[in-house]
Amino acid sequence: MVSHIVPPRIGKAERKARLNALCAQMEKDGIAATLIGPTSSLRYFTGVNWHPSERFTGALVHANGKLDYICPAFERDKVSAMIAADGEFSTWQEEQSPYALIADRLGANGKMAVDDQVALFTYRGLARVIATERLADGGPLINRLRRSKSVAEIALMQYAKDITLEVQRRAHKHLRAGILAAEVEQFIDSEHRALGADQGNTFCIVSFGEDTSLPHGGETDRVLKENDAVLIDTGTQYDGYNSDITRSYVFGKPPADYVRVWNAEKESQAAAFDAAKTGSPCEGVDAAARASQKANGFGPDYHLPGLPHRTGHGIGLDIHEAPNLVRGDKTALAQGMCFSNEPMIVVPGKFGIRLEDHFYMEASGPCWFTQPSHSADAPFQGVAPLD
């Protein structure tokens, strides 16, 4: 058994450093303020975890360091209990416009960057009271700060991923002929909770048989049969940071054609990992995975049998974050960036195999969060159980 040490959650000092970095970047870019909506970025900078609705709740970060929390008046006490970064409150009543309030707090001069994850109706509301030439896309500004994770963030993701790998191992042992995919999903949810995650499944795909050839699973609740292909893709969160791990195997003895594809998938995943060099472009990782698959007779490009989607995505407070390991993404790999590595091979009408593990970048190159699956017939060999 492996001891599972709980890492500290993100504290006020780190959030203050994030806000200082945002202010410095705004100063450099000529931005007067950045509006953060009820998105994962609000949690990133302030600790406030708020579900979006038609009532705007968020924060206005000024380049001079001032922070305004903007929310409905009746929600002030609830928001106050969540904040992990000091600021002032500007509240609005039900008959008032939060966008007019934001415009007032911004002032008559200067550009405001807008969180790119806010709803379209929020942007339109802002555009009614602030000239559009004063509204800038806050996505690049925010992502430049969020995409390289700190040591504390990586530790939180390591904790979440260790939990999910153990849940995957337990789910493999839990399978039996006649079990429904939905029953496996329920088991995985309960195990995530039992092992110390903040919640159960953030998502869960359990596919049997031909459904494994559909990257995001089928629509029917299949019954597991002897010698079915199995694909389980699931994750959870700890302090908001995500895990996301996929395992593929056969319930029974894997046939020769499955083993051939499984081995090609493992080689493709390894090729992607080896191509992840600090300073090289993200798209090079995707190119390496596809080259490996082509050498084994799959593809080329997005053609099937082969890889129908990108090789990987960034991960952090969102399961899918920029940058991505995909053609056209020329972002240079840098220390602290975290990615999935999942160059799935789909054989239409038969089965699909996705081996998904994640890595983070160090100055010296990539490091696995979880070790890749061992083999088609012993996928969890070498995985030490968590206590």
Side-chain angles (χ1 to χ4, degrees), residues 281-287 290 302 310 323-332:
C282 286
E283 65 178 359
V285 179
D286 184 70
R290 293 183 192 281
Y302 291 95
R310 63 194 173 197
N324 295 294
L325 305 179
V326 66
R327 181 183 303 145
D329 195 326
K330 301 184 185 300
T331 306

Side-chain angles (χ1 to χ4, degrees), residues 100-130:
L101 178 58
I102 292 165
D104 178 68
R105 303 309 297 165
L106 174 64
N109 300 308
K111 283 190 173 184
M112 182 176 74
V114 180
D115 186 345
D116 62 324
Q117 294 185 33
V118 298
L120 178 58
F121 68 77
T122 297
Y123 181 84
R124 286 178 170 170
L126 292 167
R128 286 195 293 269
V129 295
I130 302 172

Side-chain angles (χ1 to χ4, degrees), residues 119-188:
L120 178 58
F121 68 77
T122 297
Y123 181 84
R124 286 178 170 170
L126 292 167
R128 286 195 293 269
V129 295
I130 302 172
T132 54
E133 59 265 24
R134 295 182 62 201
L135 299 177
D137 180 7
L141 171 66
I142 293 167
N143 183 255
R144 279 200 298 271
L145 302 176
R146 285 186 53 178
R147 66 192 180 194
S148 287
K149 274 62 178 180
S150 67
V151 171
E153 289 178 287
I154 288 173
L156 290 165
M157 278 193 283
Q158 183 69 68
Y159 185 77
K161 293 174 200 300
D162 287 347
I163 288 173
T164 295
L165 182 59
E166 171 63 7
V167 170
Q168 285 274 14
R169 188 190 69 83
R170 293 182 183 187
H172 176 255
K173 294 183 68 175
H174 183 71
L175 295 180
R176 53 177 168 73
I179 198 170
L180 290 168
E183 293 178 288
V184 180
E185 291 175 17
Q186 291 168 3
F187 174 82
I188 289 170

Side-chain angles (χ1 to χ4, degrees), residues 231 246-248 257-273 288-290 292-293 296 298 306-311 341-346 351-357 368 372-373 376:
L231 185 153
T246 309
R247 289 294 180 260
S248 298
D257 62 335
Y258 186 93
V259 172
R260 182 182 74 84
V261 180
W262 197 101
N263 288 338
E265 165 73 353
K266 185 173 174 67
E267 287 181 26
S268 180
Q269 188 191 44
F273 182 82
R290 293 183 192 281
S292 173
Q293 291 196 12
N296 281 311
F298 299 98
L307 172 53
H309 53 62
R310 63 194 173 197
T311 291
N341 183 351
E342 48 179 318
M344 182 179 192
I345 297 179
V346 169
F351 57 80
I353 299 173
R354 180 163 65 244
L355 304 178
E356 179 184 11
D357 295 277
W368 289 114
S373 194

